[in-house]
Amino acid sequence: MNQAQRKRHLISWLLLALLLPIGFAAAIWVIPQPIHQEEIFRKYPEALPEVISWKSSDNLVAALRADTEREDYQLEIIVTKPFQHPNILVYLYTNAGDNPENQILLGSLNSKGSMRFPIPLEKLHEARATVGFYDPYGKVLISIIQFKL
Amino acid sequence: MSLTYKAIHWNRQKKMYDLVLLLLIVVYLLSFLVTSALLHPNLDPVNLIIRATGSLAILLLHLVLFIGPLCRMNTQFLPLLYNRRHLGVTTFTIAAIHGVLSLLHFHGGGDTPALISLFTANPNYTSFTLFPFQVLGFFALLILLLMAATSHDFWLKNLGQKFWKNMHIAVYKAYFLVIMHILLGVIQLESSPLFLLLLGAGMLGLIGLHLWTGIREYRIDRKVNLLVKEGMLVAGKLSDWNFRETKIISNGKSRIAIFRHRNKLSAVSNVCRHQGGPLGEGKLVEGCITCPWHGYQYFPEDGTSPPPFEEKIPTYEVQIVGNKVLVDPIPHPPGTFIPPADISEKKR
């Protein structure tokens, strides 16, 4: 390399030495809590035997399932057609205001197949069995489903 | 060196290099896939391959970028540099598999064409936290594509060494984009700190090594040898060449390599015509200065490559006054014969 090229290399790394640590620290600072992606690795529980109620839309079939004693509940989602949203979070809608991100996060719909999310019994009643689908990137509430209990 | 352009000019070292590289890639991918499949049996296989190739590509990119400063620190790393372009092209290939699979998997199932969806599915370009990180990876891949496509000596020859080298510095832009792609992508979704720690260690290691070697080279460039009468540079004492073949000095603009050969001293440009390798750190092989990077050769007296090769480098006049070796700081045109300074009589 000649002198000018060596200088260009050095300037490039001086800039990177400044920008990369800033980017690194900023990215760590904004990591969301809880981390949404964790759901994708979770082994979904077996389907509970009884379907209490179910609804369907253009993109999915949603079923509220329970065990025979009606003590454990779960939400089952089957994505039938891809969404035009990069990621969709599923919330249990309580009375904590309209902002979807203040609701109870059940999980995310970002892989194929059926997904099942356990629902605490008291929260299910508090939410009057209402579930919302929300795009966190576009900040769009896609739809709300209310099941019959 | 090669007279004709071949897809790859194979020799034993390149074959060994590529074989070891291929084996390491296979071992890494298999280990990643098997371990991940055992830990997360429900993980979508395409997602698994995307993660395996993505992590391998960033690992290889770090290796590519580590080789340069390591060679500046210790010449024992030079064999890694000899075939670095194969490593670079391999890095692009793995990154391209990661990119194409991601594009098809995450953007290929909707009504919008995948490439348009890549840029429009997440419109939060003004937000740091929600920035569409896949776009950063796309542009990094474009830069790596440009570099891989022009990595062959055909392009080096036709674009010119300076232009080619300056163009390939774009790898640093690609590195920045890749790091931000990871930080705003998988790091935001990953609960384990392991990947973050590894990435941070790699990044800090690279910055530290490049700055250390870069500042050291900058200081060498700034150190101009003392000017004496009639504008000659004092390159040193004759005894400086007692125990070594070469010495590198600077004229303030470029570096000059002074070689001892058959009890004579000759000075040539320190910059190889091929990729700008440091000739003064090379050796004399069968009477020819041999570049430590890729083995390009030049005669010390006139800076020409042995026939049938046609590369030429500038030469410098050397004088011996008393015990001092003086070098004219003004280069002669590439390929100019300059009589070497005889040191055998001076030493007696």
Side-chain angles (χ1 to χ4, degrees):
Chain A
M1 283 191 286
N2 60 32
Q3 196 167 326
Q5 287 165 337
R6 278 192 291 272
K7 199 172 174 183
R8 198 164 292 129
H9 274 269
L10 182 58
I11 290 170
S12 299
W13 279 102
L14 284 170
L15 282 174
L16 286 176
L18 182 73
L19 295 175
L20 282 175
I22 292 173
F24 202 84
I28 293 172
W29 183 261
V30 299
I31 290 175
Q33 296 298 336
I35 296 170
H36 301 155
Q37 182 77 6
E38 276 190 311
E39 315 302 328
I40 198 170
F41 299 121
R42 196 175 60 192
K43 189 172 181 180
Y44 293 111
E46 291 296 315
L48 295 175
E50 288 192 16
V51 175
I52 309 294
S53 170
W54 67 276
K55 301 253 178 168
S56 66
S57 69
D58 287 347
N59 299 87
L60 57 83
V61 175
L64 183 65
R65 288 179 168 273
D67 62 355
T68 47
E69 290 80 27
R70 300 281 176 103
E71 288 177 351
D72 291 330
Y73 285 82
Q74 68 183 192
L75 173 69
E76 184 177 54
I77 307 281
I78 301 166
V79 177
T80 53
K81 185 182 165 190
F83 285 91
Q84 289 193 357
H85 299 270
N87 190 16
I88 291 168
L89 300 179
V90 186
Y91 289 95
L92 190 63
Y93 263 61
T94 62
N95 294 323
D98 292 334
N99 185 354
E101 292 187 350
N102 290 338
Q103 313 300 331
I104 298 168
L105 178 67
L106 294 179
S108 62
L109 305 183
N110 48 14
S111 61
K112 286 188 278 187
S114 58
M115 285 144 270
R116 285 179 286 275
F117 310 106
I119 303 177
L121 181 59
E122 68 281 6
K123 296 290 180 190
L124 181 67
H125 288 290
E126 187 186 335
R128 287 177 294 172
T130 308
V131 172
F133 299 89
Y134 178 68
D135 171 5
Y137 297 114
K139 294 197 176 295
V140 177
L141 181 60
I142 298 160
S143 64
I144 288 182
I145 292 175
Q146 186 167 27
F147 294 102
K148 287 179 186 172
L149 283 173
Chain B
M1 294 173 82
S2 173
L3 253 188
T4 53
Y5 297 117
K6 295 178 182 177
I8 296 173
H9 188 72
W10 295 104
N11 58 28
R12 189 177 174 276
Q13 192 190 341
K14 282 188 180 179
K15 285 178 186 170
M16 285 300 293
Y17 193 111
D18 288 354
L19 187 65
V20 170
L21 180 61
L22 184 67
L23 281 174
L24 288 176
I25 287 172
V26 170
V27 167
Y28 178 89
L29 287 176
L30 282 178
S31 311
F32 191 100
L33 293 172
V34 170
T35 309
S36 301
L38 289 173
L39 289 175
H40 310 293
N42 277 6
L43 191 60
D44 171 32
V46 181
N47 234 320
L48 192 56
I49 297 170
I50 287 172
R51 285 186 164 229
T53 48
S55 57
L56 178 58
I58 186 67
L59 182 66
L60 290 174
L61 185 59
H62 274 88
L63 273 181
V64 169
L65 294 175
F66 263 115
I67 289 174
L70 284 177
C71 290
R72 307 300 309 155
M73 290 167 61
N74 192 327
T75 52
Q76 287 187 329
F77 288 103
L78 281 170
L80 290 176
L81 192 136
Y82 177 68
N83 217 18
R84 183 171 57 174
R85 280 184 283 175
H86 286 204
L87 189 56
V89 173
T90 307
T91 304
F92 162 72
T93 308
I94 301 288
I97 294 170
H98 168 81
V100 171
L101 277 180
S102 302
L103 191 67
L104 295 176
H105 190 60
F106 298 119
H107 296 276
D111 300 334
T112 314
L115 261 179
I116 294 174
S117 169
L118 173 71
F119 289 97
T120 56
N122 175 4
N124 294 296
Y125 286 91
T126 54
S127 163
F128 182 73
T129 49
L130 299 174
F131 194 86
F133 69 95
Q134 291 168 331
V135 173
L136 300 174
F138 174 80
F139 283 114
L141 192 60
L142 271 191
I143 293 175
L144 294 180
L145 168 65
L146 179 72
M147 295 179 63
T150 58
S151 68
H152 196 268
D153 272 354
F154 172 83
W155 292 105
L156 180 58
K157 177 94 175 174
N158 287 288
L159 294 174
Q161 191 252 89
K162 276 186 188 171
F163 183 82
W164 187 88
K165 201 80 184 169
N166 289 340
M167 188 173 77
H168 279 238
I169 289 179
V171 71
Y172 300 148
K173 291 189 181 79
Y175 181 68
F176 177 74
L177 291 170
V178 166
I179 294 292
M180 292 314 294
H181 167 72
I182 296 167
L183 286 172
L184 297 179
V186 71
I187 292 297
Q188 300 295 311
L189 309 168
E190 179 63 57
S191 55
S192 165
L194 180 67
F195 194 49
L196 187 66
L197 289 174
L198 288 174
L199 187 70
M203 189 188 82
L204 288 177
L206 269 184
I207 290 173
L209 271 184
H210 275 276
L211 282 186
W212 188 53
T213 52
I215 290 169
R216 198 178 64 169
E217 295 292 319
Y218 176 73
R219 283 180 179 159
I220 294 171
D221 281 334
R222 294 260 297 180
K223 188 177 165 188
V224 183
N225 291 61
L226 285 174
L227 288 170
V228 293
K229 283 179 186 175
E230 296 168 10
M232 297 292 274
L233 296 169
V234 178
K237 295 175 185 173
L238 271 178
S239 55
D240 291 348
W241 279 268
N242 277 352
F243 300 104
R244 61 179 172 187
E245 275 183 336
T246 63
K247 187 173 180 182
I248 300 169
I249 62 167
S250 168
N251 66 3
K253 288 183 178 174
S254 51
R255 292 186 186 176
I256 303 165
I258 305 153
F259 281 85
R260 188 191 73 191
H261 57 105
R262 295 190 297 270
N263 272 339
K264 292 173 182 173
L265 290 179
S266 288
V268 296
S269 164
N270 191 49
V271 182
C272 179
R273 289 288 294 167
H274 178 225
Q275 276 197 32
L279 292 174
E281 293 172 27
K283 290 179 179 175
L284 283 163
V285 178
E286 295 172 348
C288 284
I289 298 165
T290 304
C291 180
W293 283 9
H294 301 95
Y296 274 58
Q297 291 190 307
Y298 307 90
F299 290 117
E301 298 91 344
D302 60 8
T304 59
S305 292
F309 305 105
E310 295 174 343
E311 283 78 11
K312 294 173 187 172
I313 52 173
T315 49
Y316 295 81
E317 190 181 329
V318 183
Q319 291 177 7
I320 298 170
V321 177
N323 191 30
K324 288 182 177 174
V325 176
L326 307 180
V327 175
D328 186 351
I330 300 166
H332 289 271
T336 306
F337 176 82
I338 302 292
D342 196 335
I343 60 174
S344 53
E345 287 188 12
K346 306 278 179 186
K347 281 194 154 183
R348 269 184 233 139

